[in-house]
Amino acid sequence: MNASSAAPGGGSSAKAAAAVEGAPFDGTDDLTPEQLAAQWEEEKPPAAGPLANAASSLVVIGVGVGAVILSLAMGLGTLAAPQPGLWPFIISCVMVALGLFQLVIGRRNVDAEKFTRLSLAPLTGLVSLAAMVALMPLIGFEIPGLILCIIWMKFLGSETWRSTLLISALVIAAFYGIFVLALNTSIPHLF
């Protein structure tokens, strides 16, 4: 039996290949590159517009300026004898420069997507990471790390509960084994 006769109704070879592999056939294999580009253009989220582009640039500039101030407070030193603030200072200056570039040049960018509900995912990741860092000195890394893994995998990654719980537990066990048992680091831990 050949692949085309295995397909329901004896359809095209793309349908047959999808049927043989057990993959659903979505019809995109029959489209030309121009048709695919048109389909993607129809399905993409709306453009952000100049105001949203300017706002995101200002946020990057603000974070960069704040990081410059904090790195100056830590001390820069010299290239021969750097202090803790030198590399954060350099990276912060690059952030500010890129933010200014985006503010001036990028306002006409039409590829930027409009902020939607999905735009909250990076903010959720950042807030949960900050909460873990704040809780680690108080209760160790195990519980905040487990909660962080669960949030990131289940709510940001849309994994199943089974894989979320299993992988989260394995990640924390691996971190414990590496950093507490093997390396004997001073990371705060409960056990």
Side-chain angles (χ1 to χ4, degrees), residues 24-109:
F25 176 71
D26 60 2
T28 58
D29 292 339
D30 295 335
L31 299 178
T32 66
E34 293 81 17
Q35 291 170 325
L36 274 175
Q39 179 182 356
W40 293 335
E41 188 67 29
E42 290 173 10
E43 294 174 356
K44 77 176 188 178
L51 184 61
N53 287 342
S56 61
S57 299
L58 291 173
V59 168
V60 170
I61 293 168
V63 170
V65 167
V68 164
I69 293 168
L70 290 173
S71 60
L72 286 172
M74 290 192 297
L76 300 180
T78 64
L79 288 177
Q83 290 188 354
L86 181 63
W87 291 111
F89 176 77
I90 293 170
I91 293 170
S92 304
C93 289
V94 170
M95 272 182 70
V96 171
L98 290 174
L100 288 170
F101 177 79
Q102 178 67 21
L103 184 63
V104 174
I105 305 295
R107 285 189 297 177
R108 295 179 294 277
N109 184 5

Side-chain angles (χ1 to χ4, degrees), residues 135-149:
L135 289 174
M136 268 181 43
L138 303 174
I139 59 174
F141 80 91
E142 297 94 345
I143 294 172
L146 183 66
I147 293 170
L148 179 77
C149 286

Side-chain angles (χ1 to χ4, degrees), residues 154-173:
K154 180 62 184 167
F155 301 109
L156 299 180
S158 301
E159 294 291 333
T160 64
W161 276 110
R162 177 185 291 173
S163 65
T164 296
L165 296 175
L166 177 66
I167 293 172
S168 297
L170 289 173
V171 165
I172 298 306

